[in-house]
Amino acid sequence: MLRRTWISALAASAVLGAGLLAGPALRAEPVAADTFVRQVSTDVIDAVKADKAIQAGDVGRIRALVDAKVMPYVNFQRMTASAVGPQWRGATPEQQKRMFEEFKTLMVNTYSGALTQVKDQSVVVKPLRAGADAGELVVRTEVRGKGEPIQLDYRLEKAGEGWKIYDVNVGGFWLVEAYRGQFAKDLNAGGLDALIAKLAEKNKSLAAAKS
Amino acid sequence: MSPSAWRRGMWAVGAALVLGLGGCASVPEGARAPHDPWEGFNRSVYSFNDAVDGALIKPAAQVYQALLPQPVRSGIGNVLGNLGDAWTSVNLLLQAKPRQALETGMRVVVNTGFGLGGLLDVADEMGLERGPSEDFGQTLGFWGLKSGPYLVLPLLGPSTLRDAGALLLDMPDSGPSLVWKEPRDRNPATVLQLLEARVRLLNAGRVLDEIALDKYVLMRDAYMARRRSLLYDGEPPDDEPAPPPFKRLLKPAGEPPAAPVR
């Protein structure tokens, strides 16, 4: 069990990952990737700290927040496609749409748990590496709170004048990779339809547990 | 338990593992993850741990959390953290990272001296922030020893063959055992360490339950990715197999590793 202490850190910062995603709308002007990450993380942590309903895990409220302020900054299409892997290309548009919706619901549910964990943490954005004007890059941050600092990195792609997030790394573990591992068994056994059914069932039981 | 009892206990666990591994062909060939050839066995230990946790450890942690006020718990957390820092510092030295070893060593000196034996984390307020912890498994990995297969240990949870072996050194020579020589004093400290760790997991467990379709796989993948990331100080290379971390010492300073963009 001692070996699992880092998992608490992992969960606590999944929050801040969630937090970052939930940033307020940034104006469409050219902004450096690290500035983008810094602005949004600070704003979000402040917003979560100020909102008792979100801290208490109010799902409706979190869902509204995510829809209005997270989705514009995330290339969720790309995340879904790479979490599913090769089978995504063979899927019908209808399957893709259902998969997209169920995955999104699962992510929002994940956030609603994670957002309740934000307390006295702060985020330090590390200086950008070489090639800061590249089309795709990694911004590294560190979440400081009590105990060990937690690594929290973002994969960003250029989207017009701004940036979109297409993967998040919590303590060394990329989110897309995590879901690829979770999806593999159902995809191998019954294809995309089996996976969609599994996700739908999971989402239903989570919704039932909350109401 | 004395260190020698620890070693005997771990050997018994090792022997049980070897015997147990014979009978785990329950996972179909095609579905096996390459780093988890013992999945059948691991899953049964995982279920055992889960049951023990649900019946004993988690309720105890909840009682502990309810009984002790936050300042007391954070004092206990600081003392244990200070012991952890001491062991981290030793391992940093073994990994030929003198600067970080010195910084972490300074934390221990400052907190032990001015922080009432580690009760207060005064070093943190002085700007000496805690870095990631290092154990002997990481030191072995740093010098190129491969992790070997994933292995779930009874009660201790996720590990690998390498990290489980390194535990033989970690457990008797680190943490509470450094300070308390008598089992009478050390055992309560170990229990406290366990409870403190478990309390921090109370909320995390809920979050994990919500993310996971298969919690065993999530824990395994997270552990393997986390350990690999720690070995490379948070910047693991994309390729697998990759050169062992110590090779980076040989590169001229300032040359960054290849940018991990997919």
Side-chain angles (χ1 to χ4, degrees), chain A residues 1-12 14 78 106 109-110 112-114 116-117 119 126 129-130 136-138 140 142 144-149 151 153 155 166-167 169-174 176-183 185-186 188 195 198-199 202 206 210, chain B residues 30-31 43 49 52-53 57 70 74 129-133 135 155-159 163-164 167 170-171 190 193-194 197-198 200-201 203-204 206-215 217-219 221-223 225-227 229-230 234-236 238 256-257 259-262:
Chain A
M1 308 289 159
L2 301 179
R3 290 264 152 157
R4 302 202 324 225
T5 51
W6 57 268
I7 290 178
S8 64
L10 191 147
R78 180 171 178 179
L106 184 68
N109 276 323
T110 307
S112 70
T116 60
Q117 312 267 310
K119 286 187 189 87
K126 297 186 178 168
R129 275 278 168 69
E136 292 187 349
L137 49 79
V138 175
R140 299 180 183 281
E142 207 170 72
R144 303 250 169 92
K146 284 196 177 120
E148 265 188 64
Q151 176 195 353
D153 302 338
R155 285 198 169 115
Y166 69 96
D167 207 349
N169 180 328
V170 183
F173 198 22
W174 288 102
V176 165
E177 190 189 321
Y179 278 107
R180 207 179 289 145
Q182 293 290 294
F183 293 169
K185 198 169 72 183
D186 290 294
N188 284 338
L195 175 60
K198 182 82 172 273
L199 285 179
K202 173 88 183 165
L206 283 176
K210 291 230 163 82
Chain B
R43 274 193 191 268
N49 287 351
V52 173
D53 183 64
I57 301 170
Q70 181 57 45
S74 71
E129 274 149 0
R130 175 172 290 150
S133 67
D135 53 48
L155 301 177
L156 297 170
S159 190
D163 293 344
L167 261 187
D170 273 342
M171 298 302 285
T190 305
Q193 196 172 28
L194 182 78
R198 192 61 187 82
R200 275 178 277 146
L201 274 177
N203 290 324
R206 217 190 55 203
V207 174
L208 278 183
D209 280 340
E210 292 182 356
I211 303 173
L213 298 178
D214 183 337
K215 206 169 158 187
V217 170
L218 188 71
M219 298 276 283
D221 293 355
Y223 180 81
R226 169 74 178 155
R227 292 297 288 180
S229 172
L230 282 174
E235 299 181 19
D238 275 352
V261 171
R262 218 167 255 177

Side-chain angles (χ1 to χ4, degrees), chain A residues 59 204-211:
Chain A
V59 180
K204 214 175 275 173
S205 72
L206 283 176
K210 291 230 163 82
S211 54

